[in-house]
């Protein structure tokens, strides 16, 4: 009786295992197709965006000279007479804000990365790093109003000629926003440097600061430079901070105290309904978007090149 029960339970287990195995086999066969579908979908989405930009940009250049677009220093698309479409003022505004942001973010980000990687204890690192990364999760519209209502009034106490809308305030706040990106990626690159290199330098009599500056930083330079380039791309593409605190006056030059307009801020302005569908102004946002796309693409390609060029093998 017992043997019959035992035989029955074993057969039941075998049958259940076969069923489970067949189910697992079906899942194993389906998973690659699902993953392939998601990968193809992302590629097709990217291609759709690029082709849309290209098509609409060609429509714009059928109405506006390409030479005028890249050489003219005036951007007056809403002129009552004939609009002027020179991209240089928008590029100038974008680069001014980006330069200020990088001047703020790089020293703070690298200093934070060195501290977290080389000086902070494990407990301190677990506390400080999440706090730094919280900055990256704050909505950019909040940063924009912070720049307009808090940073600008403080700066005007030291710079009386500073206008309400300017390049300096949003540039500083964008620098604060991208600091966690530089700090986190650079810290990861420094942490990946083998401890044997640190121990060897310390054994030769180097101080901890000398090890950090002359051993760890050069060894992690690939990841550090890539993080900076990616942060530049992020600053170039920032929208809401410059739209709120930068103004809407496209000007050619390097004055950071007056109102400016960046490429992204112009796209926001037109997208909110200032231009009718099918007009030259409407198609101009695609030309500006393509210019922005080229800038960020070049930054990403530069980051990849630097990462491959300076990667050290351990």
């Amino acid at each position: 009786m017992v043997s019959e029960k035992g035989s029955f339970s074993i057969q039941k287990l075998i049958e259940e295992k076969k069923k489970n195995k067949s189910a697992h086999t079906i899942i194993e066969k389906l998973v690659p197709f699902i993953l392939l579908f998601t990968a193809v979908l992302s590629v097709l989405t990217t291609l759709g965006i690029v082709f849309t930009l290209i098509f609409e940009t060609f429509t714009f250049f059928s109405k506006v000279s390409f030479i005028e677009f890249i050489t003219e220093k005036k951007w007056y698309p809403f002129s009552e007479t004939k609009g002027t479409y020179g991209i240089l003022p928008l590029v100038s505004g974008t680069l001014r804000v980006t330069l200020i942001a990088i001047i703020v973010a790089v020293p703070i980000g690298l200093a934070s990365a060195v501290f977290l990687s080389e000086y902070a204890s494990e407990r301190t690192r677990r506390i400080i790093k999440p706090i730094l990364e919280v900055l990256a999760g704050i909505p950019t519209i909040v940063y924009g109003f912070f720049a307009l209502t808090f940073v600008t009034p403080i700066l005007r106490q030291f710079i009386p000629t500073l206008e309400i809308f300017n390049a300096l305030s949003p540039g500083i706040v964008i620098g604060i926003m991208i600091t966690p990106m530089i700090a986190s990626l650079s810290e990861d690159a420094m942490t990946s440097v083998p401890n044997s290199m640190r121990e060897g330098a310390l054994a030769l009599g180097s101080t901890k600061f000398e090890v950090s500056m002359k051993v760890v930083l050069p060894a992690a330079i690939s990841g550090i430079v890539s993080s900076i380039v990616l942060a530049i791309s992020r600053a170039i593409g920032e929208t809401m901070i410059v739209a709120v605190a930068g103004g809407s006056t496209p000007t050619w030059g390097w004055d950071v105290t007056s109102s400016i307009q960046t490429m992204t801020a112009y796209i926001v302005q037109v997208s909110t309904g200032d231009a009718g569908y099918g007009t030259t102004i409407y198609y101009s946002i695609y030309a500006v978007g393509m210019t922005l796309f080229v800038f960020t693409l070049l930054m990403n390609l530069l980051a990849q090149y630097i990462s491959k060029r300076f990667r050290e093998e351990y």
Side-chain angles (χ1 to χ4, degrees):
M1 190 74 176
V2 176
S3 62
E4 289 179 359
K5 283 186 176 180
S7 175
F8 176 74
S9 61
I10 291 172
Q11 289 177 356
K12 191 175 180 181
L13 287 172
I14 293 172
E15 289 175 0
E16 288 179 355
K17 192 169 183 180
K18 286 181 178 179
K19 291 179 181 178
N20 292 333
K21 188 175 181 181
S22 61
H24 282 287
T25 303
I26 294 172
I27 293 173
E28 289 292 331
K29 289 180 178 180
L30 283 176
V31 166
F33 290 102
I34 295 172
L35 295 176
L36 177 63
F37 173 75
T38 55
V40 171
L41 183 63
S42 62
V43 171
L44 291 177
T45 302
T46 304
L47 291 176
I49 294 171
V50 173
F51 282 125
T52 300
L53 273 177
I54 293 173
F55 179 77
E56 303 292 359
T57 300
F58 273 111
T59 304
F60 171 78
F61 286 125
S62 68
K63 302 179 179 183
V64 177
S65 168
F66 177 74
I67 301 299
E68 174 190 347
F69 182 75
I70 63 173
T71 59
E72 179 62 50
K73 296 181 181 179
K74 294 180 181 179
W75 182 266
Y76 298 129
F78 298 101
S79 175
E80 294 181 357
T81 56
K82 183 183 177 181
T84 306
Y85 297 91
I87 193 65
L88 290 180
L90 296 181
V91 173
S92 171
T94 301
L95 293 181
R96 272 179 276 178
V97 171
T98 302
L99 181 62
I100 295 169
I102 292 303
I103 291 174
V104 171
V106 170
I108 298 175
L110 289 183
S112 302
V114 171
F115 172 75
L116 290 172
S117 173
E118 305 303 315
Y119 291 91
S121 63
E122 186 62 30
R123 182 173 178 274
T124 305
R125 188 182 297 111
R126 286 200 305 266
I127 295 172
I128 294 180
K129 193 170 182 180
I131 293 174
L132 266 177
E133 293 176 348
V134 163
L135 292 174
I138 298 175
T140 55
I141 187 69
V142 176
Y143 276 119
F145 283 107
F146 172 72
L148 180 64
T149 61
F150 183 79
V151 177
T152 297
I154 293 176
L155 291 176
R156 293 188 76 186
Q157 294 181 5
F158 301 96
I159 310 173
T161 58
L162 189 70
E163 298 180 7
I164 293 293
F165 299 104
N166 57 81
L168 185 59
S169 177
I172 292 173
V173 174
I174 291 174
I176 295 172
M177 183 190 68
I178 64 176
T179 293
M181 178 184 291
I182 296 176
S184 180
L185 295 177
S186 297
E187 192 263 339
D188 290 341
M190 294 179 191
T191 304
S192 66
V193 175
N195 282 327
S196 58
M197 296 183 67
R198 297 179 176 86
E199 293 165 357
L202 291 170
L204 291 173
S206 301
T207 63
K208 200 159 190 175
F209 180 77
E210 289 174 334
V211 171
S212 302
M213 295 297 107
K214 297 181 180 180
V215 176
V216 178
L217 274 179
I221 192 65
S222 171
I224 292 171
V225 175
S226 295
S227 71
I228 293 173
V229 175
L230 291 175
I232 293 174
S233 299
R234 179 69 181 85
I236 290 174
E238 173 51 38
T239 304
M240 294 311 301
I241 297 176
V242 290
V244 171
S248 57
T249 309
T251 55
W252 167 254
W254 296 100
D255 182 16
V256 298
T257 62
S258 59
S259 175
I260 62 163
Q261 188 171 50
T262 63
M263 290 185 281
T264 52
Y266 173 75
I267 293 173
V268 170
Q269 179 187 5
V270 176
S271 300
T272 52
D274 284 351
Y277 176 80
T279 62
T280 305
I281 298 175
Y282 169 80
Y283 287 115
S284 70
I285 66 175
Y286 291 98
V288 174
M290 177 58 74
T291 307
L292 189 63
F293 174 77
V294 170
F295 267 89
T296 54
L297 177 63
L298 290 176
M299 288 294 102
N300 290 332
L301 291 176
L302 179 62
Q304 291 183 8
Y305 169 77
I306 291 172
S307 179
K308 291 178 182 178
R309 174 69 177 80
F310 295 103
R311 182 180 292 118
E312 294 193 24
E313 300 293 340
Y314 301 113

